[in-house]
Amino acid sequence: METSQGPLDEVVARLRVTSTDLAQIEVKAAGGGLPKDIWPTVSAFSNAEGGLIILGLDEKHRFAVVDGFDATAIREAVSNGFRPRRSDEGAGPVTPRPIGSVDIAVVDDAPVVVVDVEALPAGQRPAFVTSQGKEAGTYERVGDGDRRMSTYGVFLLSTNVEQPRVDSEPVPGATLGDLEGALVERFVARLRRRRPRSVAGLASVEDILERHNVLASDGATPTLAGLLALGRYPQHFVPQAMVTFAVYPGTAKDVFVGEQRMLDRRVIEGPIPAMVEDVVRAVLQNIQVRRVVAGAGARDEPEIPELAIREAIANALTHRDYSPWALGDQVRVELFPDRLEIANPGGIWGGRRVVDLFSGTSRSRNAVLSALLADVPMLNSEEAVSENAGSGIPAMTGALGRSGLAAPRYVAHVTDLTVVLDRHGLLSPETGDWLASVGATDLDADLRRTLVLVHRGYAVDDQVLRAQLAMDSADAKQVLRRLVDDGWLQFPRRTDGAYRPGRRLDGVLRDQVALFPHADVRGHAPGSIDDRIVNALVNEGQLSVRAIAERLDTTVGALRPRLRVLVAEGVLIATAPPTSRNREYRLSSRR
């Protein structure tokens, strides 16, 4: 049986090797009936990227099947929790109604119930246990368990598609005198030079500042955006709207080198243009510089490009959450021997995911601040703090790629977002050792670089490769297709998702072989459902979804998501629209 986490037999093998639940896989014995704690897990999976629940296996006994497990009754009980409610019925166990499939499968010749939970659309979150209410009943997945989400997290999920207005609100107690006169003067001059229509008919500076939301409608009180962008010392009113900078001697915060826990520590304050420049300066003072030959001369280049550092910190300060829930936290810039991390409060706003950040489109949590910073100059140049055009992350990625470094890696949670910039190149001695350990040293350089990106946890798709490896989209798709065909990668789970490690990069099983030498986890697994779909069409030429399901001995529901992905990736061609009864599939000639 195919699941969102792979074939069920492979999922069970992985669980038995690791002897624990996993981040997106939860197992419950359910020998005495449907456990109540299934609904917090459904809530947690619905609020993230989805996940798999298997009922009828006993974690305490190495995930053996449970004697006397009533699969039919359990399936009915779970299905009842997922079904739509009539208007005269009360809400189900989880609100809003969860999305997913519930089916009976066979493990070790015994029935189990498989619940494949899909992520709820951003506009419908949070999913919460109805009887506990939204505040106490919203859960998130942490490691292999479910944890009640913080009030702040619930607030962020509830407002994730509503445009925040906090940056346009006046700051109590602030006056025009709290703005930096010289910076305001340069800002107004830039507007008159570059955007004359935006100041047309306005005689006074105050009128210009009000029109551009630096001042509130009273024409006298700075807005939060105006204070952050043009203030003398915004931290007088919002003390934590600052940056903390730290340099650590080891690869983790708790690593000491001798008596040293930190090599450098600074608090960086002021308006955003000043903080951006000061952070860039602090990072450059603490990283290595290399000498690069350029034509007849040579120049010094930092190991992380200055452009990438500047864009990363500008993005963090522009898009962090400035709501009252988050104003007790600051942006954190932390330098380790192998990487630079920049973390800001507030996850990815607007219902987007990590892979969407590389699309080159702009969507701002703080719309007023973002627009303002596109016209606010840096302290020591006429360049604006940001472009507000979605170009920041592509520019970072390009600068890193030209220096032989990996694309920026984003680690997103509901309440925070961290961008990681590597200090060392993709094909280093360390990554060379890893490539040798998986048998990939003979692959072409672009294929090896792609595998290293995946190995490091990057969300890789053709857009990331295009920027990172300086190739066009068609070539990037071809690289990914070759890696899929050879078993190194798998196609995304969704049409707009990232590629996943394939059977030859199954790190969990590979790493566990040495720990469990007698565990049979390295045998030849059957081909993935994508491989079997392709093979069926190679043999038959053109088939409907029901015909494919019959040949693969699976369900139409399990097939449809994979067919959507394969069509999106150009592997298959659909012969009719999705709503047509005559819709069939055949292989693309580009395959």
Side-chain angles (χ1 to χ4, degrees), residues 176 188 202-212 215-216 219-220:
L176 188 61
V188 171
L202 301 179
S204 70
V205 170
E206 289 80 3
D207 289 341
I208 293 174
L209 294 180
E210 183 179 345
R211 175 174 288 182
H212 287 273
L215 296 179

Side-chain angles (χ1 to χ4, degrees), residues 235-275:
Q235 289 74 25
H236 175 69
F237 301 94
V238 278
Q240 290 290 84
M242 62 177 182
V243 180
T244 56
F245 174 73
V247 180
Y248 295 93
T251 56
K253 294 182 183 181
D254 58 353
V255 175
F256 283 72
V257 175
E259 298 296 322
Q260 289 184 311
R261 190 173 72 88
M262 289 187 189
L263 302 178
D264 195 357
R265 170 75 174 174
R266 308 182 194 184
V267 173
I268 296 173
E269 301 173 302
I272 288 177
M275 288 195 287

Side-chain angles (χ1 to χ4, degrees), residues 354-355 358 408-410 453-454 457-461 464-465 497-499:
V354 167
V355 293
F358 294 87
R409 176 162 55 96
Y410 286 87
L453 287 172
V454 174
Y458 290 82
V460 171
D461 63 5
V464 170
L465 291 194
Y499 281 72

Side-chain angles (χ1 to χ4, degrees), residues 382-396:
E382 288 304 310
E383 182 180 0
V385 174
S386 67
E387 295 181 354
N388 193 31
S391 59
I393 292 176
M396 290 168 56

Side-chain angles (χ1 to χ4, degrees), residues 37-207:
D37 63 355
I38 186 178
W39 303 119
T41 304
V42 171
S43 164
F45 285 159
S46 299
N47 289 326
E49 297 297 316
L52 188 70
I53 304 172
I54 304 174
L55 301 164
L57 297 180
D58 190 346
E59 180 180 358
K60 296 179 180 179
H61 294 89
R62 296 195 71 248
F63 298 99
V65 296
V66 176
D67 291 336
F69 176 70
D70 190 343
T72 301
I74 293 295
R75 180 181 64 178
E76 292 306 311
V78 177
S79 298
N80 185 56
F82 276 69
R83 69 173 176 84
R85 258 55 185 178
R86 299 190 307 270
S87 59
D88 60 343
E89 290 185 288
V94 174
T95 304
R97 180 176 72 88
I99 304 171
S101 62
V102 185
D103 208 347
I104 294 178
V106 175
V107 173
D108 297 342
D109 298 323
V112 298
V113 172
V114 178
V115 185
D116 220 332
V117 184
E118 296 183 24
L120 273 184
Q124 297 181 28
R125 300 181 191 180
F128 59 92
V129 178
T130 307
S131 61
Q132 298 175 7
K134 182 188 289 188
E135 290 295 325
T138 298
Y139 288 82
E140 61 183 333
R141 194 73 173 168
V142 179
D144 64 348
D146 309 314
R147 181 182 68 184
R148 279 192 172 88
M149 190 174 290
S150 67
T151 304
Y152 175 43
V154 175
F155 162 76
L156 287 179
L157 283 183
S158 301
T159 59
N160 200 26
V161 295
E162 301 174 6
Q163 182 64 60
R165 302 293 180 186
V166 65
D167 58 335
S168 65
E169 295 176 358
V171 178
T175 68
L176 188 61
D178 291 303
L179 300 180
E180 176 58 57
L183 195 52
V184 168
E185 183 178 334
R186 294 177 61 216
F187 167 68
V188 171
R190 182 186 174 93
L191 288 175
R192 285 174 169 155
R193 185 171 65 254
R194 292 175 175 262
R195 298 177 58 195
R197 288 181 183 271
S198 74
V199 297
L202 301 179
S204 70
V205 170
E206 289 80 3
D207 289 341

Side-chain angles (χ1 to χ4, degrees), residues 380-443:
N380 297 310
S381 74
E382 288 304 310
E383 182 180 0
V385 174
S386 67
E387 295 181 354
N388 193 31
S391 59
I393 292 176
M396 290 168 56
T397 304
L400 292 165
R402 288 188 294 273
S403 294
L405 298 172
R409 176 162 55 96
Y410 286 87
V411 182
H413 301 103
V414 173
T415 57
D416 59 82
L417 177 67
T418 300
V419 58
V420 182
L421 307 182
D422 286 336
R423 295 177 65 173
H424 308 301
L426 283 174
L427 298 182
S428 64
E430 292 77 13
T431 58
D433 291 342
W434 175 78
L435 288 166
S437 73
V438 298
T441 52
D442 293 334
L443 296 179

Side-chain angles (χ1 to χ4, degrees), residues 178-184 186 224-236 238 241-243 268-279 313-314 317-318 322 369 372-373 376-379 385:
D178 291 303
L179 300 180
E180 176 58 57
L183 195 52
V184 168
R186 294 177 61 216
L224 178 60
L227 194 66
L228 292 169
L230 298 169
R232 294 182 186 275
Y233 185 64
Q235 289 74 25
H236 175 69
V238 278
M242 62 177 182
V243 180
I268 296 173
E269 301 173 302
I272 288 177
M275 288 195 287
V276 171
E277 291 192 355
D278 289 348
V279 170
I313 185 59
L317 289 167
T318 303
Y322 286 102
L369 180 62
L372 195 55
L373 291 175
V376 172
M378 298 294 291
L379 297 189
V385 174

